[in-house]
Amino acid sequence: TLSAPPTLLAHSVHQLGKWIRSETAPGALPLGIHLEGPFISHEKCGAHPRSSIRPFDGRELENLWEKSLGTLKIITLAPEILTPLQCNRLIRWAAQRKVRLSIGHSHADAKTAESAFGKGFSGVTHAWNALSFHHRHPGVMEAALSDPKIYLELIIDLKHVSSQVVEITRKLHPKNLCFISDCTPAACTSLGSWHPFGPLKVRCSNGASRLKNGDLAGGGMLLTQAYCKWIDAESKRLGIPPMALLKETLPHLTTDPLRAIGVPAILNRKIRWSLNSKTQVQISIDSP
């Protein structure tokens, strides 16, 4: 979800929660909701509407949990907006409900991020994007890259993060790395068509979802499309066979993200994969 006014956000998670609990929708079974915002930093809001960003409110969060019918799975917050008491209460609240806490859209320094990770935050939302980083003040990324237990999301569409930074991240954090699409409702739509995204309107342009002014607002490709494009480009750039890169990185697309949200049952199934002549990945998962 995107940061939105309280009434709209509550309505959205309720509709999503009913859909998930029904288990009747066609296609893949949704595993839960990622609540991205509204408790994030104004300084690192990205495409999130500034007017919808607000101070942390435990009562609103509890209401969102109830409205979602208990389907919230990940919550992205900026830890620097929390008081120590709020942080401790939030971590207890999340642990009781098996909700994962992730740092994102944050201006936190390394010390604040390390403290959050030490207390119970377990992930970083779209690493490098909407996070402060400077060679003298590396912030959240320093804390995350220094802790191999932390799950890093990485947008793999070659629009949000350069191929060189993807490679550096893989070398510094080879485990618990989750490739994501970050796609919005505009993903894979025709050029020029506008689509509602919470209180925003976005369109797919130049391989990404963008606002009217051209700023990035999320991914423009589905995850498998973005991954195949990255495999093709990266194997050529590095001069290695696509199959070798596929074998090395496929866990970032499959098992790492499942561990990140605590879905161990699926991890016991055998995953088969292949790559056809068009660099398209075909994946099948055995029944338990």
Side-chain angles (χ1 to χ4, degrees):
T1 58
L2 186 76
S3 297
T7 302
L8 176 58
L9 190 57
H11 174 75
S12 297
V13 299
H14 184 59
Q15 294 299 104
L16 290 169
K18 287 195 299 182
W19 171 47
I20 293 169
R21 290 299 185 199
S22 72
E23 298 188 5
T24 59
L29 176 67
L31 298 180
I33 297 172
H34 180 171
L35 189 74
E36 189 175 328
F39 311 124
I40 57 176
S41 167
H42 280 93
E43 295 178 78
K44 293 293 178 182
C45 62
H48 287 251
R50 285 181 172 273
S51 59
S52 294
I53 297 170
R54 45 196 180 271
F56 178 76
D57 186 336
R59 290 172 297 182
E60 181 181 0
L61 183 57
E62 178 64 27
N63 180 59
L64 290 170
W65 169 258
E66 293 175 358
K67 290 289 186 181
S68 78
L69 306 181
T71 59
L72 297 184
K73 183 63 68 174
I74 306 174
I75 302 176
T76 291
L77 306 97
E80 69 271 22
I81 73 168
L82 302 171
T83 67
L85 180 60
Q86 286 176 326
C87 187
N88 292 335
R89 286 178 174 174
L90 170 62
I91 288 166
R92 287 197 299 270
W93 180 94
Q96 291 170 355
R97 292 158 180 78
K98 297 182 180 180
V99 174
R100 303 303 172 104
L101 300 177
S102 185
I103 298 179
H105 289 279
S106 170
H107 197 63
D109 58 21
K111 184 177 180 180
T112 302
E114 287 170 1
S115 175
F117 291 142
K119 291 179 178 179
F121 278 68
S122 61
V124 172
T125 299
H126 45 55
W128 304 109
N129 295 111
L131 294 167
S132 58
F133 181 81
H134 187 276
H135 57 280
R136 287 193 292 272
H137 307 286
V140 173
M141 291 307 299
E142 176 195 3
L145 292 172
S146 300
D147 188 342
K149 300 187 301 297
I150 299 303
Y151 289 90
L152 291 186
E153 288 185 356
L154 199 58
I155 304 174
I156 202 68
D157 62 1
L158 299 178
K159 300 293 182 182
H160 285 76
V161 184
S162 75
S163 57
Q164 291 85 354
V165 172
V166 171
E167 183 182 8
I168 291 170
T169 307
R170 287 178 53 224
K171 289 179 178 178
L172 293 175
H173 204 84
K175 296 182 179 180
N176 297 332
L177 188 60
C178 306
F179 285 172
I180 64 168
S181 68
D182 203 49
C183 68
T184 74
C188 300
T189 58
S190 58
L191 182 64
S193 57
W194 291 94
H195 301 265
F197 182 30
L200 302 178
K201 288 289 183 69
V202 293
R203 65 178 176 182
C204 191
S205 175
N206 192 25
S209 294
R210 299 180 185 273
L211 302 176
K212 188 175 181 180
N213 63 3
D215 287 351
L216 283 170
M221 292 180 281
L222 301 181
L223 182 54
T224 47
Q225 293 173 312
Y227 180 62
C228 290
K229 181 180 178 181
W230 177 79
I231 285 280
D232 186 50
E234 192 70 355
S235 61
K236 291 175 181 176
R237 188 179 74 86
L238 298 176
I240 60 176
M243 289 293 282
L245 189 59
L246 175 70
K247 185 175 182 179
E248 182 182 340
T249 62
L250 190 59
H252 304 330
L253 198 78
T254 54
T255 52
D256 285 346
L258 289 172
R259 277 197 299 269
I261 59 172
V263 187
I266 302 176
L267 299 179
N268 296 325
R269 306 184 191 181
K270 183 177 178 60
I271 297 177
R272 294 190 178 93
W273 53 268
S274 61
L275 191 69
N276 66 20
S277 59
K278 295 182 180 179
T279 324
Q280 294 175 327
V281 182
Q282 297 173 316
I283 301 173
S284 62
I285 303 179
D286 288 352
S287 298

